[in-house]
Amino acid sequence: MLINIIAVDEAATLLVAEKTASAIDAVFGRNALVFLDGQLGAGKTTFCRGMMRWYGYLGAVKSPTFTIVEPYELVGGQVYHFDLYRLNDPEELEYLGMDDYLNCEALSLIEWSERGLEFLPPSDLRIHLKPVGTGRNISLQADSGRGADVCQRVASDMANG
């Protein structure tokens, strides 16, 4: 399943992210793998920030470009925010202990996932962001059955305001 949403500005992007986090939580709890793709500056980290706000995190959510992973211990579970932009070789994920992160019960948000596809398991949900004027075109693509449930919930929430 694939849904497309036009977010006219950053506030709208954050709203879509919050609705996505709500749907993920309802379907998966905190045990899902989400890939976020799009060109540099497309809004991947902004989308992650919106999701983290829904989970109740009020601190800074920055791109973990240099640290590769930023862990968040939240009420209700762990969230790992990855940025693979600086990855030179997908094999580096083995040395970073990626299996350890992905084999525990947590929500994993992975920016620039295409740089590690050889070593990453299939995602549950793929989010693609593309700048359009002052906003973004946001595509949610289900890569699993439960991912399709998330897409349906988001589509329904967006239609109902």
Side-chain angles (χ1 to χ4, degrees):
M1 175 174 209
L2 175 70
I3 63 169
N4 289 302
I5 301 165
I6 299 294
V8 296
D9 56 19
E10 184 173 324
T13 299
L14 293 169
L15 178 64
V16 175
E18 290 171 11
K19 290 184 181 294
T20 302
S22 173
I24 288 171
D25 196 62
V27 173
F28 289 99
R30 297 280 171 87
N31 194 20
L33 180 58
V34 177
F35 293 169
L36 294 103
D37 300 317
Q39 68 188 45
L40 201 58
K44 297 178 294 294
T45 300
T46 298
F47 199 91
C48 289
R49 184 179 314 117
M51 292 180 74
M52 297 298 293
R53 294 289 183 264
W54 186 88
Y55 287 115
Y57 184 76
L58 300 177
V61 176
K62 59 189 182 324
S63 177
T65 301
F66 294 101
T67 59
I68 309 287
V69 62
E70 195 67 43
Y72 297 92
E73 185 68 43
L74 305 171
V75 174
Q78 187 81 27
V79 176
Y80 295 114
H81 180 195
F82 297 89
D83 184 329
L84 306 185
Y85 182 74
R86 291 184 48 237
L87 211 62
N88 292 316
D89 186 318
E91 196 171 282
E92 290 177 53
L93 292 175
E94 267 189 87
Y95 304 115
L96 294 171
M98 190 65 140
D99 285 343
D100 294 335
Y101 288 110
L102 298 179
N103 287 328
C104 66
E105 191 157 316
L107 172 62
S108 294
L109 307 172
I110 303 181
E111 295 185 34
W112 296 97
S113 61
E114 65 273 13
R115 297 193 178 210
L117 286 180
E118 293 174 33
F119 284 87
L120 293 172
S123 68
D124 295 299
L125 183 67
R126 181 179 308 271
I127 300 167
H128 183 81
L129 297 106
K130 181 179 179 184
V132 178
T134 59
R136 312 184 156 73
N137 183 346
I138 303 169
S139 299
L140 278 69
Q141 178 182 329
D143 289 339
S144 72
R146 292 190 306 168
D149 292 343
V150 169
C151 287
Q152 288 175 335
R153 285 175 181 262
V154 172
S156 176
D157 284 352
M158 294 304 296
N160 294 326

